[in-house]
């Protein structure tokens, strides 16, 4: 993903009457900020809680050394700005993230196929930003080659996603496609096996072969995959449920499925 170029000027933070840098996303929390700095990036501006502790001061000094403007602010203002989220005393203002397009996906897929069996995560109708951020974090940890989402009925790459993802939103490629079912068809033509997750499937995710090129499709909570997405899958798999609950949170299920793929690939290598 590439950060977009910010617009100049300032705007009023929605509903709060706060003047924040225009065209920049809020990224809050020490871990998210440290992840940016570790990648050699820096926010344009930092709002730091007055009386910050030594650990936060060290991170702020790193950001300053890379050109970030720093402003001290009272805690209640940061609380108001983040609407009560756990900002840990710092709010960074960074260029917004922009998903990559379909052309980038096909170019990279050809390169990956010459060296490895790609692993994709496809999110169909996942609109909750917390779930999206958690899925990105799992995708990064599992070494997935990218996350594919549709332009419609998909969570945005906003500040909450970046906070929950703990740095993964900046490094995991997110490919936004116009027609998800058509994209699945093109992936199949390229030799990628499409496995959708559904509670009524006969096979479990622990029984399917995920050592080759594969895309795991996770549907929205409650509704699951859309009909056209389901019809485009090569196979369906489920997570075996032994307790009283009938399903798991989509981000939890995503982590289990991705790391089953990791387990199989490590055994096969």
């Amino acid at each position: 993903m590439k950060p977009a170029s910010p617009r100049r000027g300032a705007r009023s933070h929605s509903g709060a009457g706060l003047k924040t840098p225009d065209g920049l996303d809020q990224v809050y929390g020490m871990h998210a900020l440290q992840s940016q700095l570790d990648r050699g990036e820096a926010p344009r501006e930092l709002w730091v809680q007055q009386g910050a502790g030594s650990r936060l001061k060290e991170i702020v000094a790193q950001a300053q050394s890379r050109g970030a403007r720093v402003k001290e602010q009272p805690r209640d203002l940061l609380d108001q700005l983040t609407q009560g989220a756990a900002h840990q005393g710092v709010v960074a203002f960074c260029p917004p993230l922009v998903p990559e397009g379909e052309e980038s996906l096909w170019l990279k897929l050809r390169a990956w196929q010459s060296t490895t069996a790609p692993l994709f995560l496809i999110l169909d109708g996942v609109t909750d930003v917390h779930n999206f951020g958690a899925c990105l974090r799992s995708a990064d940890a599992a070494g997935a080659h990218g996350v594919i989402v549709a332009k419609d009925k998909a969570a945005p790459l906003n500040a909450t996603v970046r906070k929950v993802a703990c740095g993964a939103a900046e490094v995991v490629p997110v490919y936004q496609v116009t027609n998800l079912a058509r994209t699945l068809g093109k992936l199949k033509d390229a030799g990628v096996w499409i496995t959708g997750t559904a509670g009524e499937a006969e096979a479990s995710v622990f029984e399917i072969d995920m050592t080759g090129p594969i895309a795991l499709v996770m549907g929205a909570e409650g509704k699951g995959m859309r009909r056209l997405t389901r019809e485009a899958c090569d196979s369906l798999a489920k997570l075996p449920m032994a307790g009283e609950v009938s399903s798991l949170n989509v981000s939890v299920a995503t982590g289990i499925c991705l790391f089953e793929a990791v387990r199989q690939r490590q055994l096969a290598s």
Side-chain angles (χ1 to χ4, degrees), residues 121-183:
L121 171 64
I122 298 176
L123 301 178
D124 181 27
V126 175
T127 58
D128 182 87
V129 290
H130 293 87
N131 282 333
F132 188 26
C135 288
L136 289 176
R137 189 172 181 178
S138 293
D140 177 55
H145 292 77
V147 177
I148 301 171
V149 299
K151 286 185 177 180
D152 65 322
K153 297 183 179 179
L157 278 168
N158 63 13
T160 303
V161 172
R162 297 174 79 161
K163 167 67 173 176
V164 175
C166 294
E170 286 81 5
V171 295
V172 176
V174 175
Y175 301 99
Q176 191 178 72
V177 301
T178 303
N179 187 308
L180 190 56
R182 185 173 61 204
T183 298

Side-chain angles (χ1 to χ4, degrees), residues 1 9 36 41-42 48 53 56 67 70 90-91 102 112 131-132 143 153 156 166 174 209 249:
M1 286 165 291
Q36 275 200 324
E41 302 171 5
V48 182
L56 182 53
V70 177
V90 62
V91 177
E102 294 181 58
W112 286 324
N131 282 333
F132 188 26
K153 297 183 179 179
C166 294
V174 175
D209 183 1
N249 174 281

Side-chain angles (χ1 to χ4, degrees), residues 233-256:
C233 292
D234 292 305
S235 64
L236 298 178
K238 66 181 179 182
L239 285 171
M241 306 295 293
E244 294 296 323
V245 297
S246 60
S247 63
L248 294 174
N249 174 281
V250 64
S251 63
V252 174
T254 294
I256 294 171

Side-chain angles (χ1 to χ4, degrees), residues 7-11 20-23:
R7 300 182 301 275
R8 296 183 181 275
R11 60 182 170 86
T20 59
D22 187 30

Side-chain angles (χ1 to χ4, degrees), residues 172-245:
V172 176
V174 175
Y175 301 99
Q176 191 178 72
V177 301
T178 303
N179 187 308
L180 190 56
R182 185 173 61 204
T183 298
L184 296 184
K186 293 183 70 173
L187 285 170
K188 289 196 290 186
D189 291 342
V192 178
W193 187 264
I194 311 296
T195 296
T197 53
E200 69 276 13
E202 294 184 2
S204 82
V205 295
F206 308 117
E207 297 171 333
I208 63 173
D209 183 1
M210 292 193 276
T211 58
I214 191 169
L216 292 168
V217 187
M218 312 298 296
E221 290 188 61
K223 296 181 180 179
M225 293 180 293
R226 289 179 283 187
R227 178 181 60 84
L228 291 178
T229 304
R230 179 186 297 262
E231 292 175 355
C233 292
D234 292 305
S235 64
L236 298 178
K238 66 181 179 182
L239 285 171
M241 306 295 293
E244 294 296 323
V245 297

